Amino acid sequence: MVSSSVPPATRASASGRAYINDELARKAWAVLSANNRSGYTVPSPELFPFQWNWDSPLVAMALAHIDEERAFVEIETLLASQWESGLVPHIIYHVPSDGYFPGPEVWGTDRQPPTSGISQPPIAATCLRYIIEMSADSDAALKRAAPLVVNLLRWHRWWHEARDPEGTGLVSILHPWESGRDNSVDWDEPLNAFEPVVDVSKLRKDRLHVDAKQRPSDVYYDRVITLIQLARSVGWNDLAMVQSSLFRVCDVGVQSILVRADEDLMALLRLMGDQAGAKQVECWHSKSREAIDRLWDGEAGAYRAFDLRAGKFVPSTSATAFLPLYAGAVDETKAKAIKELCDRAFTLCIFAMPQVMPDTPGYDPDNYSRGPTWPYLNRIIADGLSRYGFRDSADRLRSDTQRLIARSGYREYYNPTSGEGLGGDQFAWTAAAWLIWAGLVEKEQS
Ligand code: GLC
């Protein structure tokens, strides 16, 4: 399917949609059009030239406001690469490219098209529900979504079973990249607990595209590739991976996104009349929602990642501390504590929300997941804040995001103090985050 590249401005009169007259939205659409590869959208043409698991559904949410066909295709293409086990891989290498490391040869997963062997935050069910709700013909949209819902049920099962074989309700990640916050300060202690067995400094390609100061260190890369080699050595077998991995952590972000997605998947299954499927998801949902409470670090007064190998919380508070709101899993006292954390971050930053709280040791406002503000995450955090009635805080995130984009364009991430644009350029999910926000405002006004 070749999607329309007609700029929204010329479609505005036909659809009557207010947001498409917005200059930023017009530019956002230009980014999504330029990154369109007929079937999927690349996050950034040079830095990330393939399909990424959780970028795609967020892009699809934005597309739902403009081009529903392309929105569906984005998710269909993603789920077409699902493994028999239920895993939906974090990268799908649809076409060869020598501008990215690690390529398929490092993973050795033997798939066609080639894929990585790990997953990413399971946000797709939430995005699919959104697309259906946005559709002008929700019956037809639901019908089209039916096979995707079957895929999603299998993927959620994979998370709840393969990544929680003991049935605790807390799922684990076996690689920092599964969190989608690749080199967060959160992963420093768990990663520093083992020695790397490779040196990949000469193989890296990221620094050809982005200033080294904004990217992870060499020893970090050596460790994350060591983890890939280890998983490959056990043939990507789920249980063997859990048993042998040198990194096993419960991430507040993945857990919260999964719980929210369970809720949305349950709603989709009910709409489709699949009561047995809905019942199954309801069991996972209630157990995993309750388990979020175990990620509350009473001493820190915040939700934090838990390192299962070390048996302790990581010593950092990151932006995922807000996401239990997004999961609808927070009581009144904790909601109040989260709101205070949010207010504190607002006083510490001109452009919130930093990926890691600025008073955390290791915070770096220019380096990737170690401090900068990421618009896609702002969008998710704002969703949770609104869910608990913290509208002013959600609005602050919206206006900070808008100011960042207006100042520095559609970059991958931004310095929370100067607003400087960092990382990749022409970034798809940054454009998507803005289009979703603009589209929702339009919806509220209509
Ligand atoms: C980086 C991010 C990850 C994202 C990918 C593509 O690896 O950490 O979350 O999915 O880039 O944008």
Side-chain angles (χ1 to χ4, degrees):
M1 201 254 342
V2 178
S3 186
S4 162
S5 59
V6 180
T10 56
R11 294 155 52 101
S13 51
S15 67
R17 288 179 169 176
Y19 72 92
I20 36 196
N21 292 321
D22 161 341
E23 181 61 17
L24 285 188
R26 219 191 318 274
K27 287 186 179 153
W29 177 244
V31 170
L32 295 193
S33 298
N35 292 12
N36 182 11
R37 296 291 176 272
S38 296
Y40 65 100
T41 305
V42 295
S44 179
E46 279 163 16
L47 186 63
F48 297 120
F50 314 108
Q51 184 173 27
W52 259 262
N53 182 320
W54 74 317
D55 299 53
S56 257
L58 282 158
V59 165
M61 276 175 94
L63 292 170
H65 290 275
I66 303 166
D67 184 343
E68 184 183 319
E69 170 65 20
R70 196 177 141 196
F72 266 111
V73 170
E74 190 82 34
I75 297 190
E76 285 162 353
T77 308
L78 172 70
L79 296 177
S81 282
Q82 181 169 35
W83 288 18
E84 294 68 29
S85 65
L87 170 141
V88 179
H90 102 290
I91 304 176
I92 304 161
Y93 299 89
H94 291 288
V95 288
S97 164
D98 56 14
Y100 180 85
F101 173 83
E105 68 292 346
V106 176
W107 299 94
T109 56
D110 199 18
R111 320 278 317 177
Q112 210 42 253
T115 74
S116 69
I118 58 171
S119 202
Q120 257 190 335
I123 203 162
T126 301
C127 303
L128 186 62
R129 183 180 182 190
Y130 183 92
I131 295 167
I132 293 166
E133 283 174 358
M134 284 295 148
S135 176
D137 184 351
S138 44
D139 285 346
L142 192 62
K143 209 161 156 211
R144 179 156 183 183
L148 303 177
V149 171
V150 175
N151 293 128
L152 290 170
L153 185 60
R154 288 179 47 226
W155 188 23
H156 284 223
R157 180 183 300 284
W158 177 84
W159 272 110
H160 288 288
E161 294 181 355
R163 288 314 178 81
D164 179 20
E166 297 97 356
T168 66
L170 285 178
V171 300
S172 55
I173 56 169
L174 304 182
H175 195 288
W177 294 350
E178 291 195 308
S179 71
R181 301 176 300 117
D182 297 7
N183 69 335
S184 171
V185 177
D186 286 353
W187 316 136
D188 287 359
E189 274 201 5
L191 284 177
N192 291 344
F194 65 90
E195 288 308 317
V197 298
V198 289
D199 172 355
V200 296
S201 54
K202 294 201 172 55
L203 302 174
R204 290 179 63 178
K205 305 278 174 65
D206 52 321
R207 291 173 297 200
L208 299 174
H209 311 293
V210 173
D211 188 328
K213 286 202 303 284
Q214 299 164 23
R215 295 288 307 170
S217 65
D218 276 337
V219 66
Y220 165 87
Y221 257 89
D222 294 343
R223 288 197 164 96
V224 292
I225 302 300
T226 296
L227 291 175
I228 295 175
Q229 284 204 350
L230 188 60
R232 184 178 177 171
S233 74
V234 296
W236 299 105
N237 175 282
D238 285 322
L239 192 58
M241 279 171 68
V242 165
Q243 286 165 346
S244 64
S245 184
L246 294 172
F247 180 97
R248 192 172 174 221
V249 174
C250 299
D251 173 38
V252 182
V254 168
Q255 181 80 19
S256 301
I257 288 167
L258 176 63
V259 167
R260 169 61 177 271
D262 277 343
E263 184 184 326
D264 294 314
L265 181 57
M266 203 165 24
L268 290 175
L269 286 160
R270 289 211 174 104
L271 281 174
M272 285 167 40
D274 182 350
Q275 303 308 342
K279 195 99 208 108
Q280 168 65 82
V281 180
E282 193 180 347
C283 291
W284 293 331
H285 175 258
S286 71
K287 193 168 183 181
S288 290
R289 181 176 173 274
E290 215 179 293
I292 289 186
D293 220 38
R294 299 208 299 275
L295 296 179
W296 176 259
D297 179 349
E299 233 168 87
Y303 289 98
R304 285 185 166 183
F306 192 82
D307 181 348
L308 287 170
R309 285 176 55 84
K312 59 179 185 183
F313 285 103
V314 303
S316 43
T317 302
S318 72
T320 52
F322 304 106
L323 295 188
L325 297 179
Y326 174 78
V330 179
D331 64 24
E332 224 178 286
T333 319
K334 293 194 180 100
K336 214 169 140 247
I338 293 185
K339 169 78 170 90
E340 278 163 19
L341 182 68
C342 189
D343 290 343
R344 188 152 64 81
F346 285 159
T347 60
L348 293 172
C349 300
I350 295 169
F351 301 98
M353 186 59 77
Q355 272 244 16
V356 176
M357 290 305 114
D359 43 10
T360 297
Y363 168 77
D364 179 343
D366 291 324
N367 189 313
Y368 211 31
S369 305
R370 301 183 71 80
T373 294
W374 293 64
Y376 83 90
L377 198 54
N378 275 3
R379 179 59 226 134
I380 300 171
I381 296 170
D383 181 314
L385 289 165
S386 302
R387 186 169 185 170
Y388 278 75
F390 302 130
R391 278 306 288 255
D392 289 354
S393 305
D395 286 349
R396 158 90 195 247
L397 287 183
R398 179 184 192 277
S399 67
D400 282 11
T401 304
Q402 184 176 25
R403 288 188 302 125
L404 280 173
I405 294 167
R407 185 193 177 286
S408 305
Y410 285 103
R411 298 297 299 269
E412 189 179 9
Y413 42 95
Y414 305 81
N415 181 302
T417 305
S418 67
E420 186 193 348
L422 305 165
D425 206 354
Q426 298 299 301
F427 224 83
W429 66 0
T430 307
W434 183 250
L435 280 170
I436 296 165
W437 243 315
L440 285 175
V441 168
E442 174 227 1
K443 197 170 168 250
E444 270 174 20
Q445 287 167 351
S446 65

